[in-house]
Amino acid sequence: MKPWIQVITPHKDIRTGRLDEGVYAADLSDVVGDRGPLEYRDPQSFFRKTYLTQGLVKLLSLVLGRLAGQNAGEAVIQIQTPFGGGKTHSLIALYHMIRSGNELGDVSREILAKAGLTAVPQAQVVTFVGTAADALGGRTPWGELAWQLGRYDVLREHDQKRRAPGKNLLFQLLGTQPTLILMDEIAEYAVKARDFRDQLVAFCQELTETVKVLSHCVLVVTLPSSAPYGEEGERALHELQKVFGRVENIQTPVEGEEIYEVIRRRLFEDSGDAQEIRRTADEFFQMYQELGEDVPKEVRERPYRDRIRRAYPFHPELIEVLFERWSTYPSFQRTRGVLRLLALVVSDLYRSHHQAPLILPAHLNLADSAIRGEFLRHVGNEYQGVIASDISDNGQAKSERIDQEMGSEYASYNVARGLARAIFFASFSGGERRGVGIQRLRLSLLQPGLPPAIVSDALRRLEEELWYLHVEGGVYLFSSQPNLNRVIVEKEEAIRPEDITLEIQKRLDKLAGKEFRVFLWPREWQDIPDDTELKLVLLGPEYTFPSEETKAFVRELFNKCGQSFRTYRNTLFVLAADESEWASARQKVKRYLAYRGIREDKTLWRQLSEANQQTLETKIRDADDSIAHPLMSAYRHLAKAHESEIVWLDLGLPTREKDYSLARRVREYLQNEDILLNKISPRYILEKAMAPHETQKRVDEIYEAFLRYPSLPVLASKQVLLDALAQGVREGILQVQMDDRIVSGEELPPSELKSDAVVLREAEVAPQRPVQLKEFVPTQMPPHKVGGPPVQAPPASAGVATEYNLEVNLPWDKISDFVRGVVKPLHEGGAEVAIRIALTARSEEGINPATLERTVRETLRQIGAQILKDTLLPPYDAK
């Protein structure tokens, strides 16, 4: 399908944006006075831009027949339509036809053929336009009639005294010459002439009865279908309808789908490329067939395809809403108002190079001041703020923001803005019918190539975010009264950040779970104990991933506990919230608190409608249920110690179907990644938990290794180790010494494995009885000689010394003094200090293995010490 701007050409004034609104406001008095646009004054131009509807052809032929003396013609004809429905246009057509009809060629021939005539009869034309006449000092309708017929003297006194003439005077005035009397806007004149309205009504009655008798005379009068000027207008219109209703023939110049051709003729230079128009109609009709029940039944029936073709380049829905909704405003003036508005729309879209195949309600540009003003003059300026807030293309409207967030592939369609425009367009009526359902919204927006599902997605966003959009019973409409969204936003603005944080903390406390011992939002590393229990730390809002501050804090958690180094690093896991996901979670909690705050605000709650109260209750429940998922999504970054570094693992996004705790989620992830094991093999213990040179190791020491060393996997519990050892004994892979007994190749219940039991490699035999420690003499370092010759300073010519070496024997409790008085001054003086420490520890009771492993060696690892020698002298037989 081609864009409509390539298929049909607007008139020049529309293309250039230099519209003369007078072109769409026909005025009979201007035509008679040779004023106003050429399109009305010149008969040729007038009929070239006038589509001869069946109603107009019938009206012209009836009048010509009556003027020609055909008794079948109607004497009194009333044209009754809503304001702007073509009444004045019809009178101008009659005026030009009688005065210039024989010069109009094809137009007059068609009319004459319909009337059964060969020429336009000669007749005098008399006009009276109520909007132009002066009811205070000007001539009355009967005075104007006499004046234009050149016989004012007949009615001078009646005119000056504002007294209606009788029928005899009217017969004398009109005579036998063919006469056409055109009376426009007589109801408005009746309102102005309230001092002599009874005389006006009496004149109209006498005139209708006089004209009815005269065979060559026709009276054509226009009356609106609704009264002007309120109660006074209602009374005047009612009185006139009683008069003209007795004798007149009512004509409607434009009916049904003829309006499509009227619009096309007035706004466009040609009818467009018929083949392209047909192709467009076929494509849209096919789309509606595929949409099925998602669109109204009528648009899936074949006649609607013809309506699309006849309404081109406008979608029928656009024209229908204008005529069925907007034209019910007395100020809109039906056809005239439609033409004026559509001219503005076409001009705006043409000059912006609109690329759509049809002009839809979604394309009405309310950011254009002329188009916006055309609507606001009927609904009130209070909707200026509604348009600016929710709809307009001003860069600030909420529907614009939604479009930007929906993705670049839909950017050119302006889906959210288009829906907002279409809803606004259908929100108003002079009657009771207001608003629009989703089926017709699809008509207002969709075109081939645009996914239908996007309508529902965009509508949901509009419902959630626009301030003046109301939805009741599936009907969408805009109102100048703010909706629940506006109340919610105002309540949100009052929510304090600390209230959000407190609510999240409460939620996380419930979400934490019991699969680990959970610590929520620790402030410092001292808050996390150093024990053998599996621990999960949930970091607080000040520590989100991937900030460097967070990573530094986590390193401290793994490395320190109080004033000492952390021993059981393999029992600790840390969860940090994703920075962006955390912001999203906070927003959801903030919205929930706003909902709850509205319900708890008794005064505000009573101000809400029952429908809004029900909606809010639903929102509270939904928001309450939806908070857990974004919190679970936020806490996705898991830290774990590994060798000498900290690794960060991504748990990914959770599925909504799972309703479980954070601890359970972490546990399942670790199990799936084989980091947390529920079962291990006996050989794994021998290969990984015991060094190659170790032939034996106590059970508690092996378990300690799994708790301490991040290079090993995490055991779900100590039972995992005991089960593996029992399996190893049973299968002969390893041996266990319990007291004086060595067990191998037999069933050993795990419950009998005590912490002091010793695991032996298969080929080893453990000692059978306890042994005593031999007196231990440490290796002596050469003592520092404090005597002897004093150290001589180097000669001055040798320069300043660049290296200083020192070896000393030192009491263990003076190390801090040594650092403070020796090491630190040298370092602060700019020297690079290297320290090599030789330590000998001796105990007659024996060195505690736990102290040696958990504290001594772990500290050395933590501080990054390079171990050059680490040996133990084994116990031996004292004998």
Side-chain angles (χ1 to χ4, degrees):
M1 295 178 294
K2 290 183 179 179
W4 66 267
I5 60 174
Q6 297 178 17
V7 179
I8 193 168
T9 306
H11 287 304
K12 184 177 180 180
D13 60 336
I14 296 176
R15 297 197 307 270
T16 59
R18 299 174 181 174
L19 279 73
D20 179 4
E21 291 195 13
V23 172
Y24 308 106
D27 190 318
L28 179 59
S29 65
D30 284 344
V31 174
V32 173
D34 197 26
R35 301 183 300 269
L38 182 67
E39 285 88 339
Y40 289 114
R41 289 185 288 113
D42 177 60
Q44 298 285 351
S45 298
F46 176 82
F47 278 105
R48 188 165 51 251
K49 289 192 174 183
T50 297
Y51 175 66
L52 294 177
T53 64
Q54 293 182 12
L56 185 55
V57 170
K58 181 180 179 182
L59 173 65
L60 292 170
S61 62
L62 283 174
V63 171
L64 291 180
R66 177 75 181 183
L67 294 175
Q70 296 176 349
N71 292 329
E74 298 293 341
V76 180
I77 299 173
Q78 179 196 151
I79 303 176
Q80 186 175 34
T81 70
F83 287 98
K87 299 184 297 294
T88 302
H89 200 90
S90 300
L91 295 187
I92 295 174
L94 287 167
Y95 180 83
H96 284 315
M97 181 59 66
I98 301 305
R99 292 175 61 89
S100 309
N102 290 319
E103 304 170 3
L104 295 175
D106 292 341
V107 174
S108 59
R109 281 193 290 272
E110 180 181 352
I111 305 303
L112 290 171
K114 180 76 173 178
L117 302 174
T118 58
V120 176
Q122 296 294 318
Q124 52 190 355
V125 182
V126 181
T127 64
F128 180 83
V129 180
T131 53
D134 181 5
L136 182 61
R139 287 185 289 270
T140 61
W142 50 92
E144 188 65 31
L145 179 62
W147 178 272
Q148 292 185 30
L149 290 174
R151 306 188 67 185
Y152 184 66
D153 288 343
V154 175
L155 298 180
R156 181 186 298 274
E157 184 177 3
H158 290 79
D159 182 45
Q160 292 175 348
K161 292 183 178 181
R162 298 304 200 247
R163 291 293 183 269
K167 282 191 290 185
N168 288 336
L169 283 175
L170 291 177
F171 279 126
Q172 179 184 344
L173 181 68
L174 295 174
T176 59
Q177 185 177 353
T179 304
L180 172 61
I181 304 171
L182 303 174
M183 298 184 72
D184 196 16
E185 309 288 3
I186 191 67
E188 185 166 336
Y189 183 80
V191 175
K192 296 188 294 183
R194 60 182 181 179
D195 294 339
F196 60 99
R197 184 185 302 153
D198 56 341
Q199 295 299 309
L200 174 64
V201 173
F203 166 71
C204 290
Q205 183 167 334
E206 298 294 345
L207 181 61
T208 58
E209 294 179 359
T210 301
V211 170
K212 187 176 182 181
V213 174
L214 297 174
S215 61
H216 293 77
C217 191
V218 181
L219 168 62
V220 182
V221 62
T222 66
L223 289 177
S225 58
S226 57
Y229 307 118
E231 185 177 342
E232 193 74 17
E234 287 282 1
R235 188 178 300 111
L237 179 60
H238 178 67
E239 292 174 355
L240 290 171
Q241 285 174 335
K242 284 200 303 184
V243 171
F244 290 107
R246 294 169 61 247
V247 293
E248 91 288 2
N249 178 287
I250 299 177
Q251 294 293 320
T252 304
V254 181
E255 291 186 297
E257 295 179 5
E258 288 180 325
I259 190 61
Y260 299 145
E261 190 59 43
V262 170
I263 293 170
R264 190 186 297 185
R265 185 72 64 91
R266 294 300 304 279
L267 302 182
F268 299 94
E269 291 183 349
D270 52 59
S271 298
D273 185 329
Q275 184 176 351
E276 287 295 335
I277 294 173
R278 190 178 301 109
R279 179 181 294 114
T280 299
D282 290 344
E283 290 281 352
F284 271 83
F285 183 70
Q286 179 61 34
M287 178 181 70
Y288 297 146
Q289 297 298 310
E290 294 170 358
L291 286 171
E293 296 296 328
D294 287 342
V295 292
K297 180 182 178 182
E298 66 190 76
V299 308
R300 291 178 276 129
E301 297 173 347
R302 291 188 178 278
Y304 199 78
R305 176 166 50 188
D306 295 332
R307 287 182 64 188
I308 298 173
R309 180 177 53 80
R310 287 196 291 271
Y312 192 92
F314 303 101
H315 192 284
E317 184 72 5
L318 177 63
I319 308 300
E320 183 177 332
V321 173
L322 280 174
F323 274 94
E324 293 190 3
R325 307 283 186 94
W326 288 91
S327 68
T328 58
Y329 283 104
S331 56
F332 193 78
Q333 298 191 324
R334 202 167 177 82
T335 305
R336 184 184 307 170
V338 169
L339 289 172
R340 183 170 55 243
L341 176 62
L342 291 182
L344 293 170
V345 171
V346 171
S347 180
D348 172 68
L349 295 177
Y350 185 87
R351 287 181 291 118
S352 63
H353 307 290
H354 193 225
Q355 294 299 300
L358 287 180
I359 300 174
L360 302 167
H363 301 149
L364 297 174
N365 179 17
L366 295 177
D368 182 90
S369 59
I371 296 174
R372 183 174 66 251
E374 196 65 30
F375 287 116
L376 293 180
R377 74 168 67 178
H378 309 295
V379 301
N381 284 327
E382 63 267 27
Y383 282 93
Q384 183 84 266
V386 175
I387 294 172
S389 169
D390 288 354
I391 308 169
S392 181
D393 300 275
N394 57 10
Q396 303 294 325
K398 297 172 184 61
S399 58
E400 287 184 273
R401 187 183 68 248
I402 294 172
D403 276 331
Q404 294 167 1
E405 294 170 355
M406 289 188 71
S408 57
E409 63 271 30
Y410 302 123
S412 62
Y413 293 103
N414 294 327
V415 175
R417 266 174 291 179
L419 287 170
R421 293 167 181 166
I423 294 170
F424 183 88
F425 183 53
S427 293
F428 305 95
S429 170
E432 295 182 358
R433 186 182 176 192
R434 299 184 180 185
V436 60
I438 189 171
Q439 281 189 321
R440 294 209 166 269
L441 279 176
R442 292 190 179 100
L443 295 185
S444 299
L445 174 81
L446 288 179
Q447 52 184 290
L450 186 60
I454 200 170
V455 173
S456 299
D457 295 340
L459 276 177
R460 177 183 53 78
R461 292 287 305 277
L462 293 175
E463 288 183 52
E464 292 174 351
E465 300 185 33
L466 268 56
W467 281 4
Y468 296 94
L469 177 63
H470 296 260
V471 187
E472 295 184 9
V475 176
Y476 296 81
L477 77 158
F478 278 102
S479 168
S480 58
Q481 297 299 314
N483 59 20
L484 192 57
N485 292 338
R486 172 67 179 273
V487 177
I488 292 168
V489 168
E490 291 176 346
K491 205 68 175 178
E492 273 190 350
E493 292 172 351
I495 302 297
R496 300 177 303 173
E498 54 266 33
D499 294 334
I500 301 173
T501 301
L502 181 60
E503 181 66 24
I504 291 178
Q505 192 172 23
K506 292 177 181 177
R507 299 275 177 159
L508 287 175
D509 192 49
K510 295 179 181 178
L511 281 174
K514 299 179 180 179
E515 286 78 5
F516 293 91
R517 183 182 177 188
V518 178
F519 295 86
L520 184 61
W521 294 4
R523 295 293 180 182
E524 47 192 19
W525 59 83
Q526 291 92 327
D527 297 339
I528 311 302
D530 187 20
D531 54 30
T532 61
E533 192 173 5
L534 294 183
K535 296 170 286 294
L536 176 64
V537 174
L538 303 184
L539 296 183
E542 65 272 28
Y543 297 116
T544 56
F545 188 84
S547 79
E548 291 302 320
E549 184 180 1
T550 299
K551 294 178 180 179
F553 180 67
V554 170
R555 282 194 294 271
E556 296 288 348
L557 283 178
F558 277 102
N559 292 335
K560 295 182 179 180
C561 179
Q563 299 301 315
S564 63
F565 292 101
R566 185 173 298 279
T567 300
Y568 298 109
R569 301 172 73 225
N570 212 33
T571 65
L572 181 62
F573 301 94
V574 180
L575 263 184
D578 183 86
E579 188 173 2
S580 60
E581 295 283 350
W582 178 256
S584 175
R586 283 187 67 88
Q587 182 57 41
K588 286 188 178 295
V589 172
K590 184 177 184 180
R591 178 60 60 95
Y592 165 75
L593 292 176
Y595 293 158
R596 199 175 68 185
I598 295 171
R599 185 175 61 183
E600 293 171 354
D601 186 332
K602 301 303 181 185
T603 302
L604 182 56
W605 179 257
R606 286 194 295 269
Q607 293 175 356
L608 298 179
S609 66
E610 184 178 349
N612 277 339
Q613 288 179 352
Q614 293 175 354
T615 299
L616 186 65
E617 290 287 4
T618 301
K619 286 181 176 292
I620 291 173
R621 288 194 299 271
D622 292 344
D624 191 17
D625 293 340
S626 68
I627 290 175
H629 186 266
L631 288 177
M632 297 283 280
S633 299
Y635 278 95
R636 56 185 286 188
H637 299 287
L638 180 66
K640 179 192 179 301
H642 180 70
E643 301 290 351
S644 60
E645 60 181 1
I646 306 300
V647 294
W648 286 91
L649 308 168
D650 192 339
L651 304 184
L653 295 176
T655 58
R656 286 189 178 274
E657 290 72 18
K658 289 191 175 182
D659 182 19
Y660 52 19
S661 67
L662 284 165
R664 179 180 170 188
R665 185 170 183 236
V666 169
R667 191 179 189 93
E668 290 182 358
Y669 174 84
L670 294 173
Q671 289 172 338
N672 291 336
E673 296 295 319
D674 291 332
I675 297 173
L676 178 66
L677 302 181
N678 292 313
K679 184 178 181 180
I680 57 173
S681 70
R683 293 192 185 280
Y684 187 90
I685 297 172
L686 297 176
E687 294 171 2
K688 300 295 183 181
M690 295 176 65
H693 65 275
E694 289 182 309
T695 59
Q696 59 185 22
K697 200 165 190 175
R698 287 163 52 112
V699 171
D700 56 354
E701 291 178 344
I702 294 175
Y703 185 53
E704 284 273 326
F706 279 102
L707 297 174
R708 297 171 59 185
Y709 303 133
S711 58
L712 295 175
V714 181
L715 301 184
S717 67
K718 188 175 183 179
Q719 190 64 40
V720 175
L721 173 65
L722 298 180
D723 290 344
L725 293 175
Q727 178 187 350
V729 170
R730 183 174 62 253
E731 295 176 359
I733 297 173
L734 52 80
Q735 300 172 331
V736 172
Q737 177 183 333
M738 297 188 299
D739 298 326
D740 295 335
R741 184 168 67 96
I742 296 177
V743 183
S744 179
E746 61 183 87
E747 199 68 39
L748 175 65
S751 58
E752 294 184 7
L753 280 168
K754 305 301 180 183
S755 296
D756 60 353
V758 179
V759 177
L760 307 172
R761 293 187 185 274
E762 184 180 5
E764 300 294 335
V765 179
Q768 297 299 307
R769 56 188 178 85
V771 295
Q772 299 296 322
L773 278 174
K774 172 185 176 182
E775 181 180 1
F776 177 66
V777 180
T779 303
Q780 297 287 331
M781 294 183 64
H784 177 65
K785 298 180 179 179
V786 295
V791 178
Q792 299 293 325
S797 60
V800 178
T802 59
E803 183 174 324
Y804 174 60
N805 296 297
L806 173 67
E807 291 185 7
V808 295
N809 283 331
L810 199 66
W812 71 270
D813 57 351
K814 298 298 182 179
I815 290 179
S816 59
D817 296 329
F818 178 79
V819 172
R820 182 175 62 253
V822 178
V823 178
K824 190 173 181 181
L826 290 171
H827 176 70
E828 291 176 347
E832 293 183 7
V833 180
I835 299 176
R836 180 172 181 175
I837 297 177
L839 179 145
T840 299
R842 177 177 176 277
S843 172
E844 293 184 358
E845 290 78 17
I847 303 295
N848 189 326
T851 300
L852 186 64
E853 188 62 35
R854 295 180 191 174
T855 304
V856 176
R857 287 173 176 161
E858 184 62 29
T859 299
L860 292 172
R861 280 191 289 270
Q862 294 284 349
I863 64 177
Q866 182 183 6
I867 300 175
L868 304 177
K869 182 179 181 181
D870 184 342
T871 59
L872 283 172
L873 295 183
Y876 61 94
D877 191 331
K879 294 181 181 180

